[in-house]
Structure formats: C-alpha cells, structure tokens
C-alpha cells in the first residue's frame, strides 16, 4: 500500500514543490491549504507523514500541530520553516508540552524532500 | 584786553600772595610750585593710571577672547563628534532595515522558488530528450544558486554572534565568491585567489565578514566596468596574531581627491547606484571586532583594499 503524505501550506508554490519532488515516486501526495482543511482531511483518512508550514492565516502551524496531535498522536510531522522568530518560542512551548515534530529549513529542494520522507518512512538511510 | 580785577578780587589775590610769602618764610618750598604744575603732575599721573588700566583691560579682553575661541573650537569638535555618532546610528539602522528588507524579500521568494525548483527537477528526472538536457541542467543549477542566495539573505537578518565569534576566512571568502562567480564570468572578469591552506580562524562574526568581502568584491567588479584588463585578485596571509586579506583590482584605482573620503558615510562615486554605505559600514563592522579596513594608497595598478582580522583565541 502506498504511503500517503499530506502537505499543509497556504502557498500553492510551496505545495507544488512537494508535489513535484515526490511525483513518480512510491509516495502519494495530498495537499491542504489551511490548518482547518488539514484537520478535516486527517479525520477522513490515514496519513503516514505531514509536512506542515508555520505561517498560515487564521490557524497557524503551531495551533494546527496541537490539534493534529489530539487527533493523531503518532502521526510524524515535519515542520517546514524559515525560522521566523514569532514562531520559535511557541514551538519550544509545544515541544515542552510533549508534542513531537521534526524541523526542516526553507527552501527545500527535491533531494532534501526525498531524504526527509525516506528518513521518516523508511528508517535510517545508508549514507 | 583783560578786565581790570575788582577790589574784592584784588584783595583775594593779595591774601593768596601773602600766604605764599608766609609759606616761603616758613621754608615750605612747595608753595612755589604753582597750582598749575601740581594739576599737570596730577593729570599726568591720572593719564598714566588710565593708560595702565586700558592696557590691563585690553589684556583681559584678549585673554577672554582666547578662552572663548577655545571653547568655541571645543564645541565645534563636540558637534562634529555628535554628527558622526548620529550618522553611525542612522547607518546601523539603515543596515538593519536593509537586512530586514532583504530577509522579507527572501521569505517571499522562497515558496515560489521551492515550487519552480522542484518542478524543473521533476521534468529533468523524467524527460529523456537529449535536446533539452542542457537547458534543464542550467535551469536546475540556476535555481539552486538562487536558493543559496535566499538562504544567505535570510542569515544576514539573524542577529550576529549567536554561536561565539569565530570564522574561517577561506570558508567565508568561498561563500562571498560563490555569490558573485557567475556575475564575474558574465562580465569577463578573471578572479585570481591565493588563499593558503590552514589559515587560523579569526575572532570576527561570519555573517559580517561575509558582508565585508561581498562589499569589496562588488566594488572591485564595478570598478572594472570600463577597464580593458579585468582581473580581481584575492590573497590571504597570516602575520603574528592577524590574518590579512587583500582584495585588489586592475581598475582605474582611487583618485587622490577621493581617497580620504572613501570611508565617509553616504559618499559615493556611483550617484544613483551606490548607497555610499558599503565601505564605511564595512570598516566599522570590522573595527567593532578588533579588525580594520584600509585602502593601500601605495598601490598604483588599481584599487587595493586590505582587511586585517584578529586571530580567534582558542
């Protein structure tokens, strides 16, 4: 069964990056343009990995992470960020509250996206 | 014709004459000296006193004037220092604002960049027509280069010195050069580098150091615009507790008239294009951390700047 990946970002180009990076691979990519849409989709089906942007209107990434964790406590989440100051403190708080996530810095190219995906879903890769 | 004195006046004069005679008889010679002479002596004494007083006053005025001129000069100097400090603050604010602007642009550019980069990578992975291979490779490389640039711009806006102040000169130079390499090539500029292996790390913030090198290299690039021979040379060396980096170009050099204004804020030889902040900001960034930036005015074949950096204490 193919592994399902959810990309959450309000920017369509950022979504595009993941779609193209993983097109033709064994992974199926779904996209959500907001935190709310992501939570809806996660309720409807099972995902194996989520790429989550922080800076989104209405519900930002940290808030989305918290709610997502309530629904799916074991779902691996990769936060994709430009390390904006405004989010770092709240992310630290989330981590302190026991919410797990990985961090990846923007911009990500196809190699980095694939490596991130394989790293989480296939276990440690040989260097 | 004088009037005849009256009887009364005559009597008065006689009485005065009697007085003088009696005084003479008593031996008081002073009486001979006329009142007029006494008055003259007194007058001369008064004149003398007045002269002395005037001289004294003039001396005091001169002194006071000198004091005032001194104070004035000191005030002028203090005002100049204040102006310089103000300019420095404005510079720092402007550099911060520019860095923030650069970061904001980088943020905006990042997402579409990610999209395009990955779309092109996808096409490249899956298309097999050899006609398009080169174009796709060029596009791919160009986009990854842009990604390096945005990453650099973002790092500029982060506060400096978070991990202890230390930099490897060859790595930082490599990044600064990498930024500009394609541009140099496009302009036919040859870059010669003499950077020895094993240069000690320096006690200067990486991000600022890169800013300085980038500034010097772009100045060199601009200087070569009209030159027939377009070469930029970078050489690094270690002497005692310092690492020196020299950036020189085969451009027209810096004219004498301009030499001592080079590090003046807002002074630019590129009106409309230069900000006039590159060199003064670079110099103060370095001075802040124990380094320096100077123009080697003895160099005749172009412009030659020397950066000195203190070695990092282990």
């Amino acid at each position: 069964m193919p592994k399902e990946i959810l990309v959450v970002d309000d920017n369509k180009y950022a979504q595009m990056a993941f779609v193209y990076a993983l097109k033709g691979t064994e992974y199926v990519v779904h996209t959500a343009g907001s935190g709310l849409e992501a939570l809806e989709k996660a309720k409807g089906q099972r995902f194996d990995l989520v790429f989550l942007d922080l800076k989104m209107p209405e519900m930002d990434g940290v808030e989305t992470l918290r709610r997502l964790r309530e629904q799916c406590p074991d779902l691996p989440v990769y936060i994709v960020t430009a390390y904006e100051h405004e989010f770092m403190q709240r992310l630290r708080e989330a981590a302190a509250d026991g919410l797990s996530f990985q961090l990846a810095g923007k911009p990500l190219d196809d190699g980095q996206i694939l490596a991130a995906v394989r790293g989480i879903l296939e276990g440690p890769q040989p260097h | 014709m004088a009037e005849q004195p009256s009887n009364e006046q005559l009597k008065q004069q006689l009485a005065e004459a009697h007085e003088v005679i009696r005084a003479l008889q008593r031996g008081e010679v002073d009486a001979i000296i006329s009142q007029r002479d006494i008055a003259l002596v007194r007058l001369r004494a008064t004149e003398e006193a007045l002269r002395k007083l005037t001289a004294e006053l003039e001396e005091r005025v001169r002194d006071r004037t000198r004091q005032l001129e001194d104070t004035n000069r000191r005030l002028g100097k203090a005002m100049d220092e204040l102006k310089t400090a103000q300019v420095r603050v404005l510079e720092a604010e402007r550099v911060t604002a520019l860095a923030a602007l650069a970061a904001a642009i980088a943020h905006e550019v990042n997402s579409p960049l990610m999209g395009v980069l990955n779309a092109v990578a996808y096409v490249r992975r899956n298309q097999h027509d050899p006609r398009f291979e080169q174009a796709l490779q060029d596009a791919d490389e160009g986009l990854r280069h842009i990604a390096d640039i945005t990453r650099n711009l973002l790092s500029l806006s982060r506060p400096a010195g978070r991990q202890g102040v230390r930099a490897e000169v060859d790595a930082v130079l490599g990044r600064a050069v990498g930024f500009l390499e394609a541009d140099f090539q496009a302009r036919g500029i040859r870059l010669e580098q003499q950077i020895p292996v094993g240069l000690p790390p320096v006690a200067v913030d990486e991000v600022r150091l890169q800013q300085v090198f980038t500034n010097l290299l772009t100045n060199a690039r601009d200087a070569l615009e009209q030159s027939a021979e377009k070469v930029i040379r970078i050489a690094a060396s270690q002497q005692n507790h310092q690492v020196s980096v020299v950036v020189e170009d085969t451009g027209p050099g810096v004219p004498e008239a301009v030499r001592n204004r080079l590090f003046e804020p807002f002074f630019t030889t590129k009106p409309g294009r230069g900000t006039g902040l590159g060199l003064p900001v670079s110099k103060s960034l370095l001075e802040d951390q124990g380094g320096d930036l100077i123009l080697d005015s003895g160099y005749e074949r172009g412009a030659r700047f020397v950066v000195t950096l203190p070695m990092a204490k282990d």
Side-chain angles (χ1 to χ4, degrees), chain B residues 14 35-36 101 119 155 195 229 240 250:
Chain B
L14 268 171
Q35 293 297 319
R36 187 170 158 272
L101 180 62
S155 78
I195 301 170
E229 191 194 359
N240 306 319
T250 53

Side-chain angles (χ1 to χ4, degrees), chain B residues 223-242:
Chain B
L224 292 172
E225 228 170 301
Q226 307 288 335
S227 300
E229 191 194 359
K230 296 185 205 269
V231 181
I232 298 178
R233 277 181 216 106
I234 308 176
S237 63
Q238 181 204 341
Q239 277 135 344
N240 306 319
H241 292 286
Q242 285 187 327

Side-chain angles (χ1 to χ4, degrees), chain B residues 66-313:
Chain B
R66 226 177 290 134
Q67 274 177 9
L68 280 173
E69 278 172 8
D70 211 28
T71 307
N72 207 26
R73 219 176 303 128
R74 269 186 274 130
L75 267 175
K77 217 175 150 223
M79 274 202 57
D80 282 336
E81 284 174 14
L82 189 64
K83 267 189 216 147
T84 310
Q86 273 180 335
V87 168
R88 273 199 171 188
V89 168
L90 278 176
E91 265 174 54
E93 282 181 3
R94 187 167 158 164
V95 167
T96 312
L98 283 173
L101 180 62
I105 294 174
H107 272 295
E108 283 304 309
V109 162
N110 262 343
S111 297
L113 173 61
M114 265 169 54
V116 175
L117 202 157
N118 285 286
V120 167
Y122 166 70
V123 172
R124 202 175 160 214
R125 275 201 312 273
N126 291 286
Q127 81 85 27
H128 305 291
D129 189 328
R131 289 178 298 167
F132 304 138
E133 181 53 51
Q134 188 60 49
L136 286 168
Q137 185 181 322
D138 291 339
D140 186 290
E141 279 171 14
L143 290 164
R144 285 174 205 273
H145 186 68
I146 297 175
D148 280 340
I149 294 173
T150 61
R151 233 174 270 120
N152 251 297
L153 286 175
L154 284 173
S155 78
L156 266 179
S157 72
R158 290 196 203 115
R162 281 184 322 164
Q163 276 139 341
V165 182
R166 198 186 172 85
E168 305 283 341
V169 171
D170 48 8
V172 176
L173 265 172
R175 279 204 292 275
V177 166
F179 232 157
L180 293 163
E181 224 158 21
D183 193 10
F184 287 170
Q185 265 183 8
R187 292 165 186 255
I189 295 176
R190 188 170 85 243
L191 181 66
E192 292 173 1
Q193 299 191 63
Q194 275 170 316
I195 301 170
V197 170
L199 276 177
V202 293
V204 173
D205 177 74
E206 254 184 7
V207 168
R208 292 181 191 195
L209 192 56
Q210 191 172 330
Q211 207 174 321
V212 171
F213 289 146
T214 303
N215 174 228
L216 292 175
L217 288 170
T218 49
N219 282 355
R221 175 198 68 190
D222 292 342
L224 292 172
E225 228 170 301
Q226 307 288 335
S227 300
E229 191 194 359
K230 296 185 205 269
V231 181
I232 298 178
R233 277 181 216 106
I234 308 176
S237 63
Q238 181 204 341
Q239 277 135 344
N240 306 319
H241 292 286
Q242 285 187 327
V243 171
S244 298
V245 179
V246 174
V247 178
E248 65 190 34
D249 61 62
T250 53
V254 181
E256 269 229 47
V258 159
R259 267 181 217 166
N260 53 3
R261 299 192 67 191
L262 265 189
F263 296 103
E264 201 183 279
F266 304 119
F267 173 74
T268 176
T269 55
K270 306 176 240 180
R273 286 194 298 137
T275 59
L277 285 177
L279 284 175
V281 170
S282 293
K283 190 173 165 79
S284 27
L285 286 179
L286 289 172
E287 282 173 346
D288 268 351
Q289 306 202 289
D292 200 5
L293 168 63
I294 57 159
L295 169 74
D296 182 354
S297 47
Y299 184 68
E300 299 285 302
R301 288 164 290 164
R304 185 176 207 250
F305 286 89
V306 182
V307 174
T308 42
L309 305 163
M311 257 173 63
K313 301 180 190 85

Side-chain angles (χ1 to χ4, degrees), chain A residues 18-121:
Chain A
F18 289 92
V19 168
Y20 278 117
L22 298 167
K23 217 173 174 62
T25 65
E26 66 268 38
Y27 307 104
V28 177
V29 178
H30 303 256
T31 61
S34 71
L36 275 176
E37 199 188 331
L39 290 166
E40 278 301 308
K41 291 208 169 174
K43 243 180 258 165
Q45 76 167 91
R46 185 183 174 276
F47 288 106
D48 298 289
L49 173 57
V50 175
F51 283 101
L52 180 55
D53 178 35
L54 285 183
K55 195 168 185 150
M56 294 187 290
E58 282 158 12
M59 193 189 299
D60 67 31
V62 185
E63 185 58 35
T64 309
L65 173 68
R66 283 189 185 270
R67 304 239 194 137
L68 206 52
R69 280 274 171 263
E70 280 164 32
Q71 280 176 215
C72 332
D74 301 316
L75 175 55
V77 173
Y78 238 114
I79 291 188
V80 182
T81 176
Y83 296 101
E84 296 101 333
H85 283 290
E86 50 189 298
F87 294 111
M88 292 300 107
Q89 179 56 25
R90 290 170 53 219
L91 262 187
R92 261 178 247 132
E93 286 165 16
D97 289 342
L99 297 178
S100 66
F101 55 86
Q102 301 272 11
L103 277 179
K106 287 187 186 180
L108 285 174
D109 64 33
D110 54 341
Q112 291 161 323
I113 290 173
L114 261 175
V117 169
R118 294 231 165 91
I120 297 272
L121 296 181

